[in-house]
Amino acid sequence: MAYYGISSNLVLYLTRKLHQGTVTSSNNVTNWVGTVWMTPILGAYVADAHLGRYWTFVIASAIYLSGMCLLTLAVSVHPLKPPSCREGSSNSDCNGNPSTLQLAVFYGALYTLALGTGGTKPNISTIGADQFDNFEPKERAHKLSFFNWWMFSIFFGTLFANTFLVYIQDNVGWSVGYALPTLGLAISICIFLAGTPFYRHRVPSGSPFGRMAKVLVAAARKGRVTLPNDPKELHDLDQEEYSKKHKFRIDSTASLRFLNKAAVKSGSKSSWRLSTVTQVEETKQMLMMIPILFATFVPSIMTAQINTLFVKQGTTLDRSVGPNFKIPPASLSGFVTLSMLISVVIYDRYFVPYMRRWTKDQRGISLLQRMGVGMVIHILIMVTASLTERRRLEIARENAVVENGEQVPLTIFALLPQFVLMGVADAFIEVAKIEFFYDQAPEGMKSLGTSYSMTTLGIGNFLSSLLLSTVSNITQKHGKKGWILNNLNASHLDYYYAFFAILSFLNFIFFLVLSNFYVYRAEISHEMPGGDQGLLTLRTFDPKESEREN
């Protein structure tokens, strides 16, 4: 609620209060959101290597709360507030531009908040998943539904932000609109702290980047070494050693075979020259997810566009519902959330049990298949958005409101289909993404794996800024009007959305190719060596091999 209470309406605050243009305000939003989703890499590293997930989350929550408090002051205290504009006036009619101090406090608060989210976002979901014991069959079964309901809870808070909070911001004031999520965040932190005695706490297992670097260096140093035919000749610890440390042992695989050389016994026992098979396989698992990470950039760019351009579109349409009520443009995102909430329930309660009978997969369909369905829906969204925008521009021309940029006599609910489809897509791709990167990451790198799913959103937002600026500049060359202007009635967002539909289709083909070569990891063997109930071995899982066995 706190994060979306800021991000959902931020583009309107920048245009209405800080007097920024369409491209500038959109880019400032996506740059900030990109930072929010990139800092989890830092938070994941600190959690996995040093402080552990619990203490990283607690410290980051304090930073997050301080950023929210400062942001509330920046829109409330008179010397820190930007100069006001008369209702309906242009930026040139405002009482001066924001001062350097006002901009510094406002953006300082935003980026303090972003630093705090870096420690909270990758760790809170991981802490939640850690509460399920992989050694207990019933808890393992419940864990399969955890991320569905985790995302449900997140989007429930988002729904409140996109409806109630944005209405308060638009009609009551930004001070109250920012103070409420700040208060909500403080209460939520207290609730989390109250549960501390009941949590299962994971101790940090050392730097994941350091362990991966040692494997890469060791493999490079032994580049000319011949691999043994029997993987059992590679270096690894005894099963008892893993059992004592309560860690999983991972068997050697043929994927990224070059890295297996790091475990070839060559005399030296230096950690920079000799790695265990388990360390090698952990490194492989993290590296093999990177191509899938790349394939999720385009959907993340699309999500960023919805938070900016779709909301800006809403400001040009008739927002009246009855004689005295106008829908805040950002509230349309509430339909994304509502659609997603309904979709998650249907998916978990009906779709998964039905598909499970057909596929014999406990998840109904695989995580990559779930992502792929979301990507197909993304293509439909951009096609729908392009056609809707073409219709909006036609009505603008018919009513002679192109040049003056006045309101187009078309209901804001014309944008509803693309927002509803976005919620359905999120139920597939966003849930699958966070579960995939958590599930496929090694046990000691779960926070880092979870941060992958957030990194894709961060990079997507930065690429969104780059793409928006590039398209805007290229299409305005040689005296042309351009596709993206401050006056959206004179723009050609229909061309931009059509371009995005093509880009999404090409990305989907790329994703299909990558998925065909990806081998799942972390299927837990039901055999416990030596009858030791404290030890499980892990092996990679190839669905095609499973079909052959059946």
Side-chain angles (χ1 to χ4, degrees), residues 178-434:
Y178 280 3
L180 287 175
T182 302
L183 178 63
L185 179 63
I187 293 172
S188 71
I189 293 171
C190 292
I191 293 173
F192 174 82
L193 292 175
T196 299
F198 306 102
Y199 301 145
R200 286 169 172 159
H201 298 273
R202 303 276 184 177
V203 297
S205 56
S207 170
F209 297 116
R211 299 205 302 276
M212 293 168 64
K214 288 176 180 179
V215 171
L216 295 173
V217 170
R221 284 178 168 178
K222 291 185 278 191
R224 296 183 180 181
V225 172
T226 302
L227 284 169
N229 294 326
D230 187 358
K232 293 181 180 179
E233 296 180 20
L234 297 173
H235 172 64
D236 207 352
L237 302 178
D238 293 334
Q239 292 176 346
E240 290 75 13
E241 291 293 323
Y242 287 104
S243 181
K244 290 176 183 176
K245 297 177 181 178
H246 301 287
K247 291 185 177 181
F248 293 99
R249 176 175 175 173
I250 310 177
D251 294 334
S252 180
T253 65
S255 58
L256 298 179
R257 198 162 179 268
F258 171 79
L259 293 180
N260 288 348
K261 294 183 178 184
V264 174
K265 299 173 183 177
S266 59
S268 174
K269 293 186 178 181
S270 167
S271 60
W272 290 96
R273 289 184 176 272
L274 182 65
S275 303
T276 65
V277 169
T278 296
Q279 289 171 337
V280 171
E281 292 304 315
E282 287 177 341
T283 301
K284 287 182 183 180
Q285 289 158 14
M286 297 304 294
L287 293 179
M288 286 192 297
M289 290 192 293
I290 292 177
I292 302 296
L293 179 71
F294 289 159
T296 60
F297 288 165
V298 171
S300 297
I301 295 173
M302 240 192 66
T303 302
Q305 300 295 325
I306 286 177
N307 290 333
T308 53
L309 291 181
F310 281 14
V311 172
K312 287 285 289 183
Q313 272 183 284
T315 62
T316 69
L317 300 176
D318 181 9
R319 299 183 281 122
S320 301
V321 178
N324 300 315
F325 182 77
K326 285 190 176 184
I327 297 177
S331 285
L332 278 182
S333 298
F335 289 103
V336 175
T337 307
L338 190 60
S339 174
M340 192 272 185
L341 292 174
I342 295 171
S343 298
V344 164
V345 175
I346 294 174
Y347 185 92
D348 191 80
R349 293 303 182 193
Y350 299 100
F351 181 80
V352 170
Y354 176 79
M355 292 302 298
R356 190 180 288 157
R357 292 196 293 268
W358 288 88
T359 64
K360 309 303 180 186
D361 188 321
Q362 288 300 303
R363 289 186 172 90
I365 57 177
S366 72
L367 294 173
L368 290 179
Q369 287 171 337
R370 188 173 181 178
M371 274 195 232
V373 172
M375 290 183 182
V376 171
I377 299 174
H378 273 188
I379 298 171
L380 296 177
I381 292 169
M382 298 319 295
V383 171
T384 302
S386 179
L387 295 176
T388 302
E389 176 63 8
R390 176 174 291 188
R391 177 59 182 158
R392 189 188 72 84
L393 293 176
E394 288 176 356
I395 295 176
R397 287 192 291 269
E398 290 170 1
N399 289 270
V401 293
V402 173
E403 297 302 328
N404 56 27
E406 293 180 358
Q407 187 181 89
V408 178
L410 176 67
T411 176
I412 194 172
F413 290 111
L415 302 179
L416 191 58
Q418 61 210 54
F419 279 91
V420 171
L421 281 173
M422 193 65 204
V424 178
D426 282 348
F428 282 89
I429 192 169
E430 293 303 323
V431 180
K433 194 166 62 176
I434 189 171

Side-chain angles (χ1 to χ4, degrees), residues 13 15 22 46 56 63 69 134 142 144 179-180 256 270 276 306 313 330 335 373 420 428 437 482-483 485 495:
Y13 185 87
T15 52
T22 298
V46 172
T56 303
I63 298 173
C69 291
N134 280 326
H142 289 158
L144 295 176
L180 287 175
L256 298 179
S270 167
T276 65
I306 286 177
Q313 272 183 284
F335 289 103
V373 172
V420 171
F428 282 89
F437 289 117
W483 290 2
L485 306 171
Y495 294 169

Side-chain angles (χ1 to χ4, degrees), residues 134-212:
N134 280 326
F135 293 91
E136 286 288 338
K138 186 176 292 187
E139 290 195 32
R140 281 180 55 206
H142 289 158
K143 191 174 183 177
L144 295 176
S145 291
F146 169 73
F147 284 102
N148 286 331
W149 297 104
W150 168 255
M151 292 299 290
F152 182 92
S153 69
I154 285 178
F155 274 80
F156 194 80
T158 305
L159 179 63
F160 182 82
N162 288 337
T163 52
F164 179 75
L165 285 183
V166 297
Y167 178 80
I168 293 296
Q169 290 165 2
D170 279 6
N171 296 278
V172 178
W174 294 95
S175 299
V176 178
Y178 280 3
L180 287 175
T182 302
L183 178 63
L185 179 63
I187 293 172
S188 71
I189 293 171
C190 292
I191 293 173
F192 174 82
L193 292 175
T196 299
F198 306 102
Y199 301 145
R200 286 169 172 159
H201 298 273
R202 303 276 184 177
V203 297
S205 56
S207 170
F209 297 116
R211 299 205 302 276
M212 293 168 64

Side-chain angles (χ1 to χ4, degrees), residues 63-119:
I63 298 173
Y64 197 157
L65 184 60
S66 66
M68 291 291 296
C69 291
L70 184 58
L71 193 63
T72 303
L73 292 176
V75 300
S76 306
V77 179
H78 184 71
L80 302 178
K81 291 169 61 176
S84 60
C85 297
R86 295 192 304 274
E87 186 68 27
S89 65
S90 64
N91 290 346
S92 59
D93 295 327
C94 296
N95 300 321
N97 292 319
S99 68
T100 302
L101 174 64
Q102 291 165 347
L103 291 174
V105 172
F106 184 78
Y107 282 111
L110 282 181
Y111 283 91
T112 299
L113 190 158
L115 181 62
T117 60

